Structure formats: structure tokens, C-alpha cells
Amino acid sequence: MDGSSIIFPETEENHALVENVHPGGWLNPEPAHCYNLVVIGAGTAGLVCAAGAASLGAKVALIESHLLGGDCLNYGCVPSKGIIRSSRAIYEARHGDDFGLTGGDGIGIDFAAAMARMRRIRAGLSRHDSARRFRDELGVDVFFGSGSFTGVETIGVEGKTLRFKRAVICTGARAAPPPFPGFAEAGYLTNETVFSLTELPRSLAVIGSGPIGCELAQTFARLGSRVTILERGSHILPREDRDAADIVKNAFIRDGVQLALDTKTISASRKGDKKVIIAEHGGKVIEIAVDEILVGVGRAPNMEGLGLEAAGIAYDPQQGVKVDELLRTSNPRVFAAGDICFPYKFTHTADALARIVIANALFMGRQKSSALVVPWCTYTDPEVAHVGMYEQEAIDRGIPVVTLTVPLADVDRAVLDGESEGFARVHLNKGSDRILGATIVARHAGEMISEVTLAMSSGLGLSAIGRTIHPYPTQAEAIKKLADAYNRTRLTPFVQKILAVWLKWRNG
Ligand SMILES: Cc1cc2nc3c(=O)[nH]c(=O)nc-3n(C[C@H](O)[C@H](O)[C@H](O)COP(=O)(O)OP(=O)(O)OC[C@H]3O[C@@H](n4cnc5c(N)ncnc54)[C@H](O)[C@@H]3O)c2cc1C
């Protein structure tokens, strides 16, 4: 399959992208006698497995049916964060009066230029994932085609058979078709098509208010679409801390995003040049007519045609390939990494799991995926970042928990930056400074959460953060202030009394 037929629009930037991630006229190599590692799927998990194993001296084959880089580069993190940046620039220009900027109301939006910028950056970043780099610099045998197990130690691709000592399934997940009638006929966008738009839809309905739905809803609203989110629950970002989600909700309202909460999508149809969503809200049937529909819910594991049965690999149709905590499948020669097998579907977890596979598959390691401390971030404005447990989760597990919160209004830099809506929150094991989890809502929460993640993964308590000097003024001081808040909880009336007696005695 030639990649150029599926990355639209056909522009110079997209040709440059395809030349890296699915070059025209690519000739698959002759397979080696046997590979230390065959990797199926070249998204983040597959690329990290292949590059890491090859750089340690392994003979590696990498099979990709579509575009190297997978979702993250082509249809996910990279294009979404590219247009989020444009939408922020527009928002700031329009709301600059408080900072001394005038004329914000008259600022125009060039959607096509914002999309072209994203495509240009994506093409530039694709150099890192390029087929030629993997072949020429890393010595990986790169095969384009659909990989399929033909036995317990063989994989077929484009009529060739690859024999392996170890294999790893990294085939990821894709947008699942929406389970509502009429969507296919009405037409809808997913993450695989939305970044190919060249014209801004005047109105857009976003189904689902998870991270993908929320990030893109706010972005398109700021780029000028009339956006409505349809969410069957009563809160956006339903999995996140409720207070965090409420702050994002208020930002959405200011951005003009219409929130249809407690609204169950029933079906869709086409009326003239509009797409009409039929939904149910409060026992009543409502209709929402829009130019485009974006489906932001439902991911399905890519397992079709993989021949898992031929290799004795167990799987679940919804959850994907089954693995133990060493990431081994039910075939002892075959491992899995990334969205295909892990509940936390992020690029950074795909990367972390790939490193575990290299150690366990090739070097008899015993690294466990259950030991990972996994942070994540939703890149709305403000961002919502989280790591570890939520308060309720700790309570449900019977762990005594104390929660401390520092509002960003108490952090000088946040106030100076006009970004004081948000907070840093930490959940501690009661009676100690052991961090169970944390949520940060801030413009750059994704940058700030790593300090807490480092503490958790290194077994450091909140006091260690308290002892760390943070430059003033920074928003990361919010985390240090959490440690100060913890220290204050230790200053009980009894301790205060003892200190007072000590100081009185010292004073003569
Ligand atoms: C809109 C959007 C935004 C996102 N933003 C973020 C973000 O900001 N941060 C973050 O951490 N995560 C984000 N994610 C999630 C992230 O993109 C995924 O978690 C990550 O790409 C998973 O990597 P992977 O290698 O497991 O799978 P994928 O990237 O899906 O790669 C799998 C690859 O396998 C190939 N393949 C499938 N079947 C076969 C076969 N039989 N033979 C050969 N090849 C095959 C596919 O073509 C694909 O290239 C986002 C996702 C979306 C949709």
C-alpha cells in the first residue's frame, strides 16, 4: 500500500511526511535466516522496541502496514498539539487587553494556515521515525505490509516468512466505529480524518468529553467553529478529579463551547447539507444540526488479520492482546507493548513498555509493567495532569488518605501570568508523606506533574519536594507549597507547645 493515498490533503508537507514514513517504491528486504526480534506495528511502542533492540546489537525486523510513527505522529499527539498551539495563540491575541494588547476583537483566523503549520511541523518531526533512518542508521529490516503470525515462531508479510526467537505485537488501537445508527451514512470525522480538514467546519458536534473530545472541542471553538459537546454523563472529563473537570468546564463556557451533558446520542442522519444528531436529554428527544461530527469516544485494538490463533496468543476482543505483568503473551516467545495490551493508552506508556519488552524478551529481565508510575495530561487550557490514585480510589482500596490542595491563586507566578485558575492537589497516605497520587490543573500542568512522578517512582515523600529549592517565581512552587502545607499538618498543638518551651528555655 502506498501511504500517499491516505494522508490528505496532497501537499508538499504531506509528501515529505510520507517519504519518511511510507516511502514510495520501498522494496522489502530479503528476510534474515532468523531474527532476535520481529516487531509488528511501528507506532511508538514498535519504533522504541526496534530502535532499542537494534542499538544493543539484535537482528531486528520491523513490520508496518500503514505509516511509521503510528497514531502519535500521524493522527494523534503531534497534529493535535500542533493545532492546540495555534488555537492558544489566537486566544491570547484575542484576550490580550489585560496585558496591554489592543485590537484583539479584530484579529482574523486563517484555519488553512494553522493546519499547514501543523503539517509542516509533523513532516519535520517524521524524520526521526523515517524508514530510511531505521534501515540505514539502525540496521533494522523494515517491511511494509500487514504482519500475520503463521505459526508459533513465524510471521508472514507480503509473501515472505520471518522466523523469530522473540516477537512483539505493537499494533495499537484505532477509533472504533460509533455504535449509533446513521453515523456511517451521515458521515463523521475521527482522529484519522480530522487533521486532514482544509476548511473550518462552521459548526461541529463532538461526541464524548474524554481527553480527545475535550482537547479538540476547545481547539476548534478557539479556531472559530460553533462547537457542541455531547456527553452522556453529567461531567466532562468523567475520569478526572471533579474539581479539575469543573475548572475546564468553566473555561469551555468562556470559549463558547456548548455543553450538552446528560445527553445520550441515539442516531444521526443527513438533512440537506447538515448532519443531524438525534439525542435524548431529560427524557426528551432533541436534534442538533451541524456541519461536521467528530467522534471522540471508543478505541478498538488492532488485531484483525494478525493470526493470533496460529501462534497460540490469547486475546480479548475489547481489551486486546492479553499479557502478564512481564508483558509476555500466552506464547512464551511473543510479547506485546502499547495500546494493543495496556489500559493506559499514551505515547509515554508505549515507550516505557517497549523498554520493558527489550529487557525481558532479549536479556531475561524480570521488569514489571505493574511497577510503572504512569502520569498523564489532557492538553486543554488549562491542562489537567494526573499521576497515581484519585482520592476515591484510595478510599475504595481501604487506604487512609489525606488530601492537600494549593490554589494557583496562592502562587505568585500564576497570578503574574494571569493563569491563576487551577490548583495542585496531592493525596497522601495518612500519617506519612507518602504520595498516593496528585492532580494539577494549570496552563502547563503536563510539565509540572513530572516532579511528583519522580518523587513517587523514586520512593521519595512529599517532604523531599519541600526540601528542594524551587526558583521564584515559578508555577512549580505550587508543588513545594503542598509540601509546606504537609509540614504545617505536622505542627500539632502538642508539637507547638514543645517548641515554645524549647525556645523560651533557649532565650534564657
Ligand atoms: C487525537 C489523539 C491525541 C493523542 N494525544 C496524546 C498525547 O498528547 N499524549 C500521549 O501520551 N498520547 C496521546 N494519544 C495516544 C497515543 O497516540 C497512543 O497511545 C500511542 O500512539 C500508542 O502507540 P502504539 O505504538 O501502541 O500504537 P499506534 O501508534 O497505534 O501504532 C500501531 C501501529 O501498528 C500498525 N499495525 C496495525 N496492525 C498491523 C499489522 N497487522 N501489521 C503491521 N502493522 C500493523 C498501525 O498501522 C500503526 O502504525 C493520542 C491519541 C489520539 C487519537
Side-chain angles (χ1 to χ4, degrees):
M1 180 169 35
D2 179 355
S4 62
S5 58
I6 21 174
I7 280 274
F8 288 107
E10 293 214 14
T11 60
E12 209 178 297
E13 302 93 357
N14 278 348
H15 280 293
L17 169 73
V18 172
E19 259 315 284
N20 281 331
V21 296
H22 194 139
W26 182 266
L27 287 178
N28 284 342
E30 272 313 305
H33 165 67
C34 185
Y35 288 96
N36 291 109
L37 188 68
V38 174
V39 183
I40 312 182
T44 305
L47 291 175
V48 174
C49 280
S55 62
L56 293 169
K59 185 69 190 158
V60 178
L62 176 63
I63 307 172
E64 171 55 50
S65 59
H66 189 34
L67 303 170
L68 299 187
D71 260 8
C72 179
L73 174 69
N74 300 294
Y75 307 121
C77 331
V78 168
S80 60
K81 272 73 233 177
I83 60 172
I84 283 173
R85 184 64 188 91
S86 288
S87 74
R88 269 192 186 187
I90 291 160
Y91 178 86
E92 299 218 309
R94 291 212 155 160
H95 295 83
D97 30 352
D98 194 35
F99 298 91
L101 198 76
T102 57
D105 290 342
I107 280 170
I109 299 171
D110 186 341
F111 178 75
M115 296 300 268
R117 173 184 179 274
M118 174 274 285
R119 288 195 297 270
R120 195 174 61 247
I121 292 170
R122 180 174 61 179
L125 294 177
S126 73
R127 275 196 299 271
H128 195 69
D129 298 353
S130 101
R132 290 189 184 86
R133 182 174 94 85
F134 271 74
R135 181 188 64 188
D136 303 338
E137 292 177 26
L138 297 166
V140 172
D141 283 354
V142 179
F143 295 82
F144 281 102
S146 224
S148 182
F149 288 94
T150 50
V152 291
E153 52 181 16
T154 51
I155 294 170
V157 54
E158 295 289 303
K160 300 189 177 189
T161 298
L162 278 54
R163 188 167 294 284
F164 60 81
K165 290 280 182 216
R166 295 287 180 269
V168 54
I169 305 170
C170 303
T171 51
R174 64 180 184 284
F180 318 111
F183 269 67
E185 296 73 25
Y188 60 92
L189 300 165
T190 67
N191 70 295
E192 280 161 34
T193 46
V194 69
F195 303 114
S196 297
L197 287 175
T198 50
E199 277 179 36
L200 180 76
R202 274 167 303 159
S203 54
L204 176 73
V206 178
I207 312 287
S209 72
I212 297 174
C214 278
E215 286 182 7
L216 292 176
Q218 188 181 39
T219 300
F220 274 84
R222 288 180 168 191
L223 290 171
S225 275
R226 275 196 318 282
V227 176
T228 307
I229 293 184
L230 284 87
E231 164 59 52
R232 66 180 173 185
S234 45
H235 298 274
I236 63 165
L237 292 173
R239 291 193 190 149
E240 291 300 339
D241 178 293
R242 188 65 58 79
D243 295 338
D246 280 346
I247 290 176
V248 176
K249 179 178 154 189
N250 291 337
F252 278 17
I253 292 169
R254 283 198 301 272
D255 281 317
V257 176
Q258 302 282 327
L259 296 169
L261 301 174
D262 297 307
T263 303
K264 286 195 188 101
T265 302
I266 300 172
S267 63
S269 63
R270 208 175 240 284
K271 272 194 194 151
D273 57 357
K274 292 282 181 197
K275 299 172 182 191
V276 179
I277 297 174
I278 318 289
E280 193 236 284
H281 174 77
K284 288 195 189 120
V285 172
I286 55 168
E287 288 193 1
I288 299 169
V290 286
D291 293 310
E292 283 294 355
I293 301 169
L294 171 68
V295 177
V297 282
R299 307 285 296 165
N302 290 325
M303 296 188 297
E304 296 74 19
L306 261 180
L308 296 174
E309 288 85 359
I313 296 167
Y315 62 92
D316 175 281
Q318 266 80 47
Q319 311 298 324
V321 170
K322 292 185 178 178
V323 285
D324 64 14
E325 56 183 1
L326 301 178
L327 300 178
R328 293 177 303 200
T329 69
S330 50
N331 176 336
R333 291 168 188 260
V334 181
F335 290 68
D339 283 8
I340 187 65
C341 66
F342 207 56
Y344 299 106
K345 300 194 188 311
F346 304 109
T347 292
H348 46 276
T349 41
D351 180 300
L353 297 176
R355 289 161 198 259
I356 292 180
V357 166
I358 294 169
N360 294 357
L362 300 181
F363 300 102
M364 296 189 291
R366 305 281 303 165
Q367 294 188 18
K368 293 181 179 169
S369 58
S370 55
L372 294 175
V373 178
V374 179
W376 57 84
C377 182
T378 300
Y379 297 89
T380 44
D381 185 13
E383 296 175 354
V384 178
H386 181 83
V387 63
M389 286 184 222
Y390 295 96
E391 187 179 31
Q392 190 57 47
E393 217 176 328
I395 293 167
D396 292 346
R397 289 195 203 178
I399 303 172
V401 56
V402 167
T403 296
L404 301 169
T405 303
V406 168
L408 286 193
D410 290 354
V411 179
D412 290 2
R413 179 60 185 272
V415 176
L416 288 162
D417 286 349
E419 296 168 3
S420 55
E421 209 174 5
F423 59 78
R425 174 168 289 168
V426 69
H427 310 298
L428 300 176
N429 202 166
K430 196 172 180 178
S432 80
D433 70 342
R434 190 167 83 88
I435 303 170
L436 299 172
T439 296
I440 300 175
V441 187
R443 195 106 202 256
H444 299 288
E447 309 285 349
M448 293 161 71
I449 199 75
S450 295
E451 183 175 13
V452 185
T453 311
L454 174 70
M456 289 177 72
S457 58
S458 307
L460 298 171
L462 189 58
S463 308
I465 293 179
R467 288 191 298 271
T468 307
I469 299 177
H470 291 63
Y472 174 86
T474 53
Q475 294 202 17
E477 279 186 289
I479 303 164
K480 183 165 163 55
K481 282 174 184 280
L482 283 171
D484 295 342
Y486 165 70
N487 284 334
R488 281 196 297 276
T489 65
R490 297 169 70 203
L491 211 56
T492 58
F494 176 69
V495 174
Q496 272 175 322
K497 216 178 203 169
I498 299 220
L499 291 178
V501 170
W502 164 259
L503 290 170
K504 205 169 169 193
W505 176 73
R506 289 280 292 173
N507 214 14

